[in-house]
Amino acid sequence: MNKQKPVRLRDLAFELNLSVSTVSRAMSGKGRISDKTRARVLKAIKKSNYTPNDVARSLRMQNAMSIGIIVTDITNSFFASVIKGAQSVSREKGYSILLSNSDENILYEAEAMQLMLEKQVSGLILASVGNNGPRIDQFRSLNIPIVFIDNTPEPITSFDSVSTDNHKAAYCLTTRLIEKGYREIGMITGPLNQSSGRQRYEGFQSAMNEHGAPLRAEWIREGDFQMESGMVLMRRILETARPPRAVIISNNYMTYGAAKTIKRMGKSIPDDVALASFDTDDPTSLSSPTIASMNQPAVEIGTKAAEILINRLTAKQPLPHANLVLEPVFTDGDSW
Amino acid sequence: MNKQKPVRLRDLAFELNLSVSTVSRAMSGKGRISDKTRARVLKAIKKSNYTPNDVARSLRMQNAMSIGIIVTDITNSFFASVIKGAQSVSREKGYSILLSNSDENILYEAEAMQLMLEKQVSGLILASVGNNGPRIDQFRSLNIPIVFIDNTPEPITSFDSVSTDNHKAAYCLTTRLIEKGYREIGMITGPLNQSSGRQRYEGFQSAMNEHGAPLRAEWIREGDFQMESGMVLMRRILETARPPRAVIISNNYMTYGAAKTIKRMGKSIPDDVALASFDTDDPTSLSSPTIASMNQPAVEIGTKAAEILINRLTAKQPLPHANLVLEPVFTDGDSW
DNA sequence: AATGCTTGCGCAATCGATTCCATTGTGATA
DNA sequence: TATCACAATGGAATCGATTGCGCAAGCATT
């Protein structure tokens, strides 16, 4: 009904005939205080529904105990899992999560980073769209650590990162395809100015070259990691005079789009064209065919990123930069 | 390299030979200030990489301009979409998002609510697991608005909510099944102590009764909205002496589990058993068969929840409680 | 009994931005 | 030129919690 003023330390102190500082010490357990008054205070707090004002505490402590997370799209199950992982570690260690979606928009990303600065986050976990140099420098100069995930800036100079061995993942996937007898293989890559996109493309190239398989330009298209581009580019590839027998697709969304297009064109996977992908593993999926895929350990990326971040935040002395590269996890499928 | 102290208003003021208050006024545009000094200040700020300290501002303003969101599972695409919707509205209106995952755990949920209180969120969007009375009362007494989503507390006394017409959704889904000729229909319900679970069950009952279709106890099982329970309960249902010809399943995860079980038992959807579900609509899905489903407009739930919340936060006079009930969206499929 | 040490607690500064109030300064009008 | 009105700016309190410092009381040691 009527707005009730929140209880402050001052109110408790008044009620107990104590000073604010004593009540504060009773709560925190720091500083000198007798067991008797401590008990008295704690008892009073119990039934007073006192809620500490963390904003005030943050200001005084110069530490908001919060971690910013910026991802490009929270509805992408990969990022959702990353966030879940990061959240569980953060909770344990007493950090809260400030979330922002950049919608793959570099302007929104910059805005979000600015917000994180203003909110005085202790650290940032960032899945960056592209290069966002000036803003990143600001974090560096304020000594606010960033852990990059998914896309890592290159060269990885002075930041932490958690990523997957994308080169290896693509290399293995391609090699398996070749071992299965496919030689005419195309690829829908991600943006080549993003590390994940380029590394996967390079892994593909390596494997193809090593096995003497042909790299044909019209079988290779650069997408943008969105479903739309998977649909469009797969159609283009299949409409070439002599389409490839298999296509590697650089992420989950483009694969979904590509598979839809293939079905819509009345063709079959893998009889007309085989597919291999990244990050399509999903225990809940009823996908048919199931897609052979190299998957990033998403939850682990989240937990590791949070651990590295918090580790740095609580370290006494400067720490070397951690650039963790996790192994991709293969899941087989009927798509090849 | 070396930690750099952040620039404060005080530093700017000193540099410009002005008082802190003047600089503050220049930034906010409020209060009396000459255009000349205002311009001078703004110019200085431009090249000073000054970042306002929002923690201090929040303390002074008694308003953190942030919205808490607590969901049971961020990797559930339904909740991910809700968050995305809420985030986009919040960004527009200048609110930031504090996120917490409760992992379907009522203790974590309580913890998260406590966190939100301490962080002084302006309002809360809550997908609650169960009844969490005392904590909710605390929000009420502090006049911090809550918008419930997904599960609404009953009776909806003094809070806002955004939900879907679950009864109607289940009723329609059942009616369609019956119209397709199915009469022996089972159901895997959600927890009946949650509003969404119960309402869907009741809608099912209504339709069945109205059409004189048999309600048989062994065809109806109460699940917990997790994939596991979908798997287990579907097996139980199919192993009854005389299994139903169709089963309605109360949410997406249980449907995925159930479908897997059916496939694993070597049976076919819909020939051996037809399925109808909730919230399985997903434009990226390669599911086969596609599942006929009544879907909550997840993104809209998020945007509406945020709008209602912010509306209340910025309203001059007290507002009546908004209990928005959105229409479910039907997507047809091959599962029946 | 005087000195010194320890313990328990209060006072007051502090974190950075906002805002009310007071002060100074400028220009206009009689 | 004296007075008034108002605009521009500075000073200081404030938001709520933390913490260094100092004071006073208690205890022990000589």
Side-chain angles (χ1 to χ4, degrees):
Chain A
M1 266 319 91
N2 42 356
K3 171 143 180 181
Q4 205 170 313
K5 281 262 191 67
V7 182
R8 299 158 300 171
L9 277 194
R10 209 163 113 191
D11 305 317
L12 285 174
F14 178 82
E15 207 173 311
L16 293 165
N17 260 324
L18 287 172
S19 74
V20 181
S21 37
T22 304
V23 179
S24 172
R25 278 189 283 256
M27 292 215 61
S28 66
K30 303 195 170 225
R32 295 191 293 220
I33 190 170
S34 75
D35 289 345
K36 209 178 61 174
T37 44
R38 157 93 127 290
R40 196 158 70 95
V41 171
L42 291 183
K43 206 172 94 184
I45 284 176
K46 268 257 166 67
K47 59 178 165 185
S48 73
N49 84 334
Y50 165 73
T51 302
N53 184 325
D54 193 75
V55 171
R57 175 190 287 152
S58 297
L59 177 61
R60 179 59 233 253
M61 306 294 263
Q62 296 288 74
N63 181 1
M65 289 296 285
S66 64
I67 289 178
I69 302 186
I70 303 176
V71 297
T72 56
D73 179 9
I74 193 188
T75 61
N76 186 328
S77 66
F78 168 69
F79 287 122
S81 294
V82 170
I83 294 170
K84 191 174 189 178
Q87 150 93 33
S88 73
V89 169
S90 303
R91 185 207 343 266
E92 261 174 41
K93 311 266 183 171
Y95 289 81
S96 58
I97 296 289
L98 219 65
L99 178 71
S100 210
N101 232 39
S102 68
D103 281 339
E104 316 257 356
N105 183 329
I106 197 158
L107 255 74
Y108 283 167
E109 182 179 310
E111 241 179 59
M113 289 180 77
Q114 176 65 25
L115 175 77
M116 300 297 174
L117 284 174
E118 297 188 4
K119 292 282 180 183
Q120 315 288 117
V121 294
S122 313
L124 180 66
I125 295 177
L126 176 59
S128 182
V129 186
N131 258 345
N132 212 334
R135 207 70 66 173
I136 289 177
D137 289 342
Q138 225 176 329
F139 277 78
R140 156 113 59 44
S141 76
L142 292 173
N143 229 27
I144 300 174
I146 301 183
V147 178
F148 286 86
I149 56 170
D150 196 39
N151 275 310
T152 56
E154 306 164 275
I156 303 177
T157 47
S158 43
F159 286 102
D160 298 321
S161 68
V162 179
S163 56
T164 315
D165 192 338
N166 284 307
H167 187 101
K168 179 173 173 182
Y171 181 92
C172 289
L173 207 54
T174 310
T175 301
R176 279 181 194 251
L177 261 177
I178 292 172
E179 282 167 355
K180 278 177 176 284
Y182 294 98
R183 289 185 55 81
E184 298 168 355
I185 307 174
M187 184 173 203
I188 298 178
T189 75
L192 296 181
N193 63 351
Q194 288 184 29
S195 67
S196 56
R198 190 177 49 262
Q199 288 165 6
R200 287 171 190 174
Y201 176 51
E202 289 169 354
F204 165 72
Q205 282 182 308
S206 297
M208 293 293 275
N209 286 334
E210 236 168 72
H211 294 86
L215 277 169
R216 295 197 29 192
E218 77 263 32
W219 291 346
I220 297 171
R221 309 274 168 156
E222 180 177 348
D224 64 2
F225 282 152
Q226 301 297 304
M227 191 166 85
E228 262 302 306
S229 90
M231 301 179 66
V232 172
L233 298 179
M234 180 52 83
R235 176 172 290 273
R236 293 231 184 98
I237 288 175
L238 291 182
E239 281 172 349
T240 53
R242 180 140 168 280
R245 295 279 303 113
V247 178
I248 293 180
I249 307 175
S250 277
N251 85 332
N252 49 2
Y253 279 9
M254 294 196 297
T255 301
Y256 302 137
K260 280 176 197 297
T261 289
I262 294 170
K263 287 186 183 178
R264 230 166 267 169
M265 290 172 79
K267 297 190 187 272
S268 126
I269 306 168
D271 294 339
D272 293 311
V273 57
L275 291 189
S277 177
F278 293 84
D279 287 339
T280 54
D281 179 43
D282 175 1
T284 67
S285 170
L286 300 175
S287 167
S288 169
T290 53
I291 310 285
S293 160
M294 280 292 188
N295 309 290
Q296 302 190 65
V299 174
E300 192 183 354
I301 289 178
T303 57
K304 289 296 182 196
E307 279 168 12
I308 288 174
L309 195 55
I310 294 172
N311 199 28
R312 181 174 299 286
L313 290 172
T314 51
K316 299 284 179 237
Q317 69 266 41
L319 254 43
H321 293 290
N323 295 114
L324 190 58
V325 178
L326 300 175
E327 290 297 302
V329 179
F330 176 71
T331 53
D332 210 343
D334 318 317
S335 64
W336 61 9
Chain B
M1 270 316 99
N2 41 358
K3 173 142 181 181
Q4 206 169 313
K5 280 265 192 65
V7 182
R8 299 158 300 172
L9 277 194
R10 209 164 114 193
D11 306 317
L12 285 174
F14 178 82
E15 209 174 309
L16 293 165
N17 259 325
L18 286 172
S19 74
V20 180
S21 36
T22 303
V23 179
S24 172
R25 277 188 288 254
M27 291 215 63
S28 66
K30 303 196 168 225
R32 294 192 293 223
I33 190 169
S34 74
D35 290 345
K36 208 178 62 176
T37 44
R38 155 94 126 289
R40 196 158 71 93
V41 171
L42 292 183
K43 205 173 94 186
I45 285 175
K46 269 256 167 65
K47 59 178 165 185
S48 74
N49 83 334
Y50 165 73
T51 302
N53 185 325
D54 193 74
V55 171
R57 176 190 286 150
S58 296
L59 176 61
R60 178 60 232 250
M61 304 296 262
Q62 296 289 72
N63 180 3
M65 291 296 283
S66 64
I67 290 178
I69 301 186
I70 302 177
V71 297
T72 56
D73 180 9
I74 192 188
T75 60
N76 186 327
S77 67
F78 168 70
F79 287 122
S81 294
V82 169
I83 294 171
K84 190 175 187 176
Q87 151 93 33
S88 73
V89 170
S90 303
R91 185 208 342 266
E92 259 174 43
K93 312 267 181 168
Y95 289 81
S96 58
I97 297 289
L98 219 64
L99 179 71
S100 210
N101 233 38
S102 70
D103 281 338
E104 315 258 355
N105 182 329
I106 196 157
L107 255 74
Y108 283 167
E109 182 179 310
E111 242 178 58
M113 290 180 75
Q114 175 66 26
L115 176 77
M116 300 296 174
L117 285 174
E118 297 188 4
K119 292 282 180 183
Q120 315 288 117
V121 294
S122 313
L124 180 66
I125 295 176
L126 176 60
S128 182
V129 186
N131 257 346
N132 211 334
R135 206 70 67 173
I136 289 176
D137 289 342
Q138 222 177 329
F139 276 79
R140 156 114 59 41
S141 76
L142 291 173
N143 229 27
I144 300 174
I146 301 184
V147 178
F148 286 86
I149 56 170
D150 196 41
N151 275 310
T152 56
E154 308 165 89
I156 303 176
T157 48
S158 43
F159 287 102
D160 298 321
S161 66
V162 179
S163 56
T164 317
D165 192 336
N166 284 307
H167 186 101
K168 178 173 174 183
Y171 180 93
C172 289
L173 208 53
T174 310
T175 302
R176 279 182 194 250
L177 261 176
I178 293 171
E179 283 168 355
K180 279 178 175 284
Y182 295 98
R183 288 186 54 81
E184 299 168 357
I185 306 175
M187 183 173 204
I188 297 178
T189 75
L192 296 179
N193 63 349
Q194 289 183 28
S195 67
S196 57
R198 190 177 50 263
Q199 287 166 6
R200 287 171 191 175
Y201 176 52
E202 290 170 354
F204 165 72
Q205 282 182 310
S206 296
M208 292 293 275
N209 286 333
E210 236 169 73
H211 294 85
L215 277 169
R216 295 197 32 192
E218 76 264 31
W219 291 347
I220 297 170
R221 311 273 167 154
E222 180 177 347
D224 63 3
F225 281 152
Q226 302 296 305
M227 192 167 84
E228 262 302 306
S229 90
M231 301 178 66
V232 171
L233 298 179
M234 180 53 84
R235 178 173 289 273
R236 293 232 184 99
I237 288 174
L238 291 183
E239 281 173 348
T240 52
R242 179 141 167 280
R245 295 280 302 113
V247 178
I248 293 180
I249 306 175
S250 277
N251 85 332
N252 49 2
Y253 279 10
M254 294 196 298
T255 302
Y256 302 137
K260 279 176 197 299
T261 289
I262 295 170
K263 288 186 184 176
R264 230 166 266 168
M265 290 173 78
K267 296 189 188 275
S268 124
I269 306 169
D271 294 339
D272 294 312
V273 57
L275 292 189
S277 175
F278 294 84
D279 286 338
T280 54
D281 180 42
D282 175 1
T284 68
S285 170
L286 301 175
S287 166
S288 168
T290 54
I291 310 285
S293 159
M294 281 292 188
N295 309 289
Q296 302 190 65
V299 174
E300 193 183 353
I301 289 179
T303 56
K304 290 295 182 195
E307 278 168 12
I308 289 173
L309 194 55
I310 294 171
N311 200 28
R312 181 174 300 286
L313 289 172
T314 51
K316 299 283 180 240
Q317 69 266 41
L319 255 44
H321 293 290
N323 295 114
L324 190 58
V325 178
L326 301 175
E327 290 298 303
V329 180
F330 176 72
T331 53
D332 209 343
D334 318 317
S335 64
W336 61 10

